[in-house]
Amino acid sequence: MKKYYPKRIVTYLIRCAIYFTIFCGLCLSSTNKIESAEIVDRIVAVVNDDIITLFDLNHLLKPYVEKIEQANYPEDTAQEMLYKVRENALNRLIEKKLTDQEIKRTKMTIGEKEIDDRIEQIKKTNFYTDEGLRKELEKDGLSMEEYRQQIKDQILRIKLINYEVKSKIVITTEDIKSYYENHQSKYAGKEKYHLRNIIMKVPPFADNDDKLEIKSKMDAVLARLNAGESFETLAMIYSESSLAAEGGDLGLFDLDSLSPQLKAAINGMQAGEFTPVIDTDLGYQIFLVQDVVKTQGKSLEDASSEIEKILFTEVINKKFETWVDDLRKQAHIKIIR
């Protein structure tokens, strides 16, 4: 059976053959100065009637490869990361080809004014003049014509996604209510603790005797607190902190923002109570709960708009993945290793 190749692929292969013939001639005439040559372009994937080249893939990979190389990872780790990044990049290019083909199929178009408006919006957001934008594009090796084409492609893909995915999503009041009820901790009021501390730091190379001496000083401070002396005053006198002059005032914290050690010590304490001496990574500390502030929660009505956006984003991501998967199943895709 005769194998069929799309016209564009045949043209590309012919061009590659011509370039290869010329290249071989140059190599032969170079009196063996060039012993080997790196392949700079070839087909890495076929997506229906379109091709993805090694040049396309390397262009997308370049910034990621540079970051991995600059990070100085061990060779095995770097190779594994490069492999994963390459696979992800190739999948992105395949998805781009599929969406571009759908744009052509649906005959979706946009006017030059839409592109102009989008570029003006980008300039305004980034405080670019027309000349400033052109200079930024030059840094990326882009002409204004190439940039306009990129913007056009972006707008068309957004329109396609709106048409194929977004327009078919409906978030009901029942969906919103169910999410609200399943995330009560998120929308209920939270308790925040206004904390002060007294700290005595332990030097990095302190021996056990030094630590015992510092601990005994803190125990003496704790005894004075238990006798009714002012926490703020003792903090100003004994605390080895930049906040000592403010009486060790640390500000407001909710429990989830605290370290597990401090969270366990503070949880359930009332205003005016203080902890025992705690051995922490920073040194020996005593914490005072100056006040417990209850923040107001959100009602279902107040949270509805926020929840709708959350659910919409979740659904659109799933729908988009399903839609792209369907396109892939229906397409002829060949990856050439």
Side-chain angles (χ1 to χ4, degrees):
M1 183 181 288
K2 203 169 185 180
K3 200 166 185 180
Y4 169 76
Y5 290 97
K7 185 177 178 182
R8 183 176 173 185
I9 297 175
V10 173
T11 303
Y12 181 85
L13 291 170
I14 292 170
R15 191 186 307 133
C16 286
I18 293 169
Y19 289 161
F20 181 72
T21 303
I22 294 170
F23 175 73
C24 288
L26 290 171
C27 288
L28 289 171
S29 64
S30 65
T31 62
N32 296 325
K33 287 183 181 179
I34 302 175
E35 295 181 359
S36 64
E38 181 184 356
I39 297 174
V40 294
D41 205 8
R42 64 178 177 82
I43 297 173
V44 294
V46 179
V47 185
N48 292 322
D49 289 346
D50 287 325
I51 59 172
I52 295 170
T53 67
L54 182 62
F55 178 84
D56 298 329
L57 181 58
N58 286 340
H59 182 71
L60 182 59
L61 279 173
K62 186 179 177 182
Y64 303 101
V65 172
E66 287 175 352
K67 285 180 182 178
I68 291 170
E69 288 174 348
Q70 289 167 6
N72 293 320
Y73 291 109
E75 187 175 348
D76 290 348
T77 304
Q79 288 301 319
E80 185 180 351
M81 291 177 73
L82 286 168
Y83 176 79
K84 288 179 180 177
V85 167
R86 188 184 188 279
E87 292 296 297
N88 289 337
L90 185 55
N91 278 325
R92 282 171 58 192
L93 288 172
I94 290 170
E95 288 178 7
K96 180 179 179 298
K97 286 293 182 189
L98 289 169
T99 53
D100 287 347
Q101 289 167 6
E102 282 299 293
I103 288 167
K104 288 179 184 177
R105 186 186 66 79
T106 57
K107 298 180 180 178
M108 205 167 274
T109 59
I110 60 166
E112 292 298 310
K113 187 177 183 306
E114 285 184 78
I115 301 171
D116 292 338
D117 290 344
R118 177 63 182 140
I119 290 175
E120 286 303 315
Q121 185 183 356
I122 291 168
K123 284 161 61 177
K124 185 177 179 181
T125 302
N126 294 280
F127 303 101
Y128 287 146
T129 60
D130 190 63
E131 184 182 355
L133 176 60
R134 288 178 185 273
K135 285 182 179 178
E136 287 299 315
L137 294 177
E138 283 177 15
K139 291 178 185 177
D140 295 330
L142 287 173
S143 67
M144 181 56 78
E145 290 70 26
E146 289 170 329
Y147 185 60
R148 288 182 68 85
Q149 184 61 48
Q150 283 188 5
I151 296 297
K152 180 180 179 180
D153 291 344
Q154 287 173 11
I155 296 171
L156 283 170
R157 284 189 202 102
I158 290 168
K159 283 193 171 187
L160 179 67
I161 291 166
N162 283 339
Y163 175 76
E164 293 288 349
V165 181
K166 280 188 178 180
S167 62
K168 298 169 186 177
I169 295 172
V170 178
I171 306 297
T172 67
T173 54
E174 286 302 314
D175 294 330
I176 294 170
K177 184 179 178 183
S178 175
Y179 184 93
Y180 181 82
E181 290 173 350
N182 290 327
H183 295 80
Q184 278 294 300
S185 60
K186 183 176 181 179
Y187 297 104
K190 284 189 175 181
E191 286 187 338
K192 290 199 172 187
Y193 294 80
H194 186 175
L195 301 178
R196 293 180 183 269
N197 80 327
I198 298 170
I199 179 171
M200 289 188 185
K201 297 177 182 177
V202 177
F205 302 107
D207 57 26
N208 286 333
D209 289 340
D210 293 332
K211 290 179 181 178
L212 285 171
E213 185 180 348
I214 297 167
K215 174 67 163 57
S216 66
K217 288 179 181 178
M218 283 296 282
D219 287 338
V221 171
L222 181 63
R224 292 173 68 174
L225 287 171
N226 284 323
E229 290 193 45
S230 165
F231 192 98
E232 291 180 49
T233 302
L234 292 174
M236 285 188 272
I237 297 170
Y238 294 106
S239 187
E240 298 173 353
S241 162
S242 58
L243 298 171
E246 285 81 41
D249 193 347
L250 299 174
L252 280 173
F253 298 87
D254 60 63
L255 281 177
D256 291 336
S257 68
L258 301 174
S259 69
Q261 182 188 26
L262 187 51
K263 182 177 179 179
I266 298 294
N267 191 20
M269 289 180 65
Q270 304 299 314
E273 294 181 341
F274 46 82
T275 67
V277 177
I278 302 173
D279 185 2
T280 71
D281 292 338
L282 299 174
Y284 291 107
Q285 298 192 66
I286 303 169
F287 291 89
L288 167 74
V289 177
Q290 180 168 311
D291 197 9
V292 180
V293 180
K294 180 84 171 180
T295 59
Q296 188 175 1
K298 282 187 178 181
S299 66
L300 174 59
E301 185 179 354
D302 292 336
S304 288
S305 178
E306 176 189 333
I307 293 172
E308 186 174 13
K309 288 177 185 176
I310 292 169
L311 291 175
F312 192 85
T313 301
E314 288 179 359
V315 174
I316 196 172
N317 287 338
K318 290 177 184 174
K319 292 273 188 185
F320 179 74
E321 287 173 9
T322 302
W323 178 67
V324 171
D325 284 344
D326 288 342
L327 288 180
R328 290 184 77 123
K329 288 172 186 174
Q330 296 166 22
H332 168 70
I333 298 170
K334 182 174 177 60
I335 295 173
I336 303 168
R337 301 292 178 184

